[in-house]
Amino acid sequence: MSQKMPAGSRLWHNFRMSNGIEPRALARFPLWNGLPNDLLQRIADVCQIVTVNSGQTLINTNSPSRGVFFLASGLLRIWRLTETGQEVLLGLVLPGGMFGERSIIDDAPHSANVTSLENSVLLRLPPEEAAQLFFHEPQIAHRLMRHLSALISASNAQREALTRSDATGRLWLILRNLAKPEPGNGLARVEPLPTQGALAQMSGLARETVSRLINTWVKEGRIERGQNWVVLRIQQGPKSSAPDAIAD
């Protein structure tokens, strides 16, 4: 793994100090936000900064646990190969996200591959320290349970999207699941926006279909698109959570 700062990473200096990691910077991650300063300092003392280049695989399936990772900047994909050698996208990790916790809880190897889609900066919490915090710090254990509950809800939501027969409904629900609501205006933002190839794998659609649907929604004013983001206009009322179906 390269120790050179990835181009465009503005968060690096927020984490790195001359003698380690800035404890207050850890509060940007949901698992650590609101913890006492002494506990944040304890976590900062054992965390390591890791940088990876776009296309680099950070974790391989069935490899020994390397600990828990927290993404400061960049974009990662979690994937696995089927018995026939087909690559299946399991999910994406956005800034603020974490992965590797299951290997700590189960005391088992990593269950999937993790590859960077962009130059990325992460914090790594080594296995021994992660286990100590997860199993012996009640505040963290409670937060971890809520995090795992949210993962189950997200997994169920993606399954719901994949059971829809119409392409529009599937892609719209995938975007809704990735989006963060903007309070009070009926909008939700996806940033960074996954590549169309990644969205195609997540929704089970062809890449061309994803491109066509997004372009159609932009023209209809249902979404606004920037260089690396989209804003969804959330549908109101008891009707479908997606725009009217467009033939696939």
Side-chain angles (χ1 to χ4, degrees):
M1 257 163 283
S2 169
Q3 291 301 311
K4 182 180 179 181
M5 181 176 69
S9 173
R10 293 177 293 179
L11 293 177
W12 174 272
H13 295 294
N14 292 338
F15 284 105
R16 193 175 183 88
M17 301 190 303
S18 60
N19 60 343
I21 294 172
E22 168 57 59
R24 290 173 297 178
L26 297 177
R28 73 180 67 237
F29 299 105
L31 193 67
W32 310 135
N33 186 33
L35 291 178
N37 290 335
D38 59 340
L39 189 50
L40 287 176
Q41 183 64 63
R42 177 181 162 192
I43 297 166
D45 287 343
V46 296
C47 277
Q48 303 163 358
I49 294 176
V50 176
T51 68
V52 292
N53 297 320
S54 179
Q56 188 172 351
T57 295
L58 182 66
I59 285 177
N60 291 300
T61 303
N62 295 324
S63 62
S65 175
R66 297 189 56 218
V68 183
F69 292 81
F70 300 83
L71 183 61
S73 66
L75 181 65
L76 308 171
R77 65 186 178 102
I78 303 175
W79 58 282
R80 191 181 297 156
L81 290 177
T82 65
E83 293 181 356
T84 61
Q86 181 180 4
E87 184 177 308
V88 176
L89 181 68
L90 302 178
L92 300 173
V93 183
L94 304 177
M98 60 182 281
F99 60 93
E101 65 277 14
R102 179 177 173 182
S103 68
I104 302 300
I105 296 170
D106 294 342
D107 190 22
H110 290 293
S111 59
N113 305 292
V114 180
T115 300
S116 182
L117 292 171
E118 300 176 357
N119 292 343
S120 301
V121 177
L122 308 95
L123 299 184
R124 184 178 80 93
L125 182 63
E128 297 80 7
E129 287 79 4
Q132 183 68 27
L133 290 168
F134 286 179
F135 299 139
H136 300 287
E137 289 292 339
Q139 294 182 75
I140 295 176
H142 181 253
R143 291 160 183 252
L144 183 62
M145 285 189 289
R146 289 191 300 180
H147 164 72
L148 295 174
S149 176
L151 286 182
I152 293 171
S153 296
S155 177
N156 290 340
Q158 181 155 348
R159 286 195 185 96
E160 177 190 354
L162 292 176
T163 61
R164 297 185 64 105
S165 59
D166 61 295
T168 300
R170 271 187 274 167
L171 181 58
W172 187 262
L173 284 176
I174 291 294
L175 290 174
R176 281 287 303 272
N177 294 338
L178 292 173
K180 293 183 179 180
E182 297 184 351
N185 59 11
L187 304 177
R189 177 181 290 267
V190 181
E191 186 177 8
L193 178 66
T195 64
Q196 291 183 358
L199 288 172
Q201 289 189 51
M202 295 178 73
S203 57
L205 301 173
R207 183 172 180 174
E208 294 76 12
T209 301
V210 170
S211 176
R212 176 169 55 82
L213 288 172
I214 290 177
N215 288 333
T216 298
W217 293 341
V218 170
K219 292 177 182 177
E220 294 176 346
R222 298 179 189 270
I223 68 173
E224 181 182 349
R225 179 172 57 185
Q227 183 175 2
N228 195 32
W229 54 266
V230 295
V231 171
L232 314 181
R233 299 186 184 279
I234 304 302
Q235 301 289 312
Q236 301 295 328
K239 297 181 180 180
S240 170
S241 61
D244 297 335
I246 301 173
D248 189 5

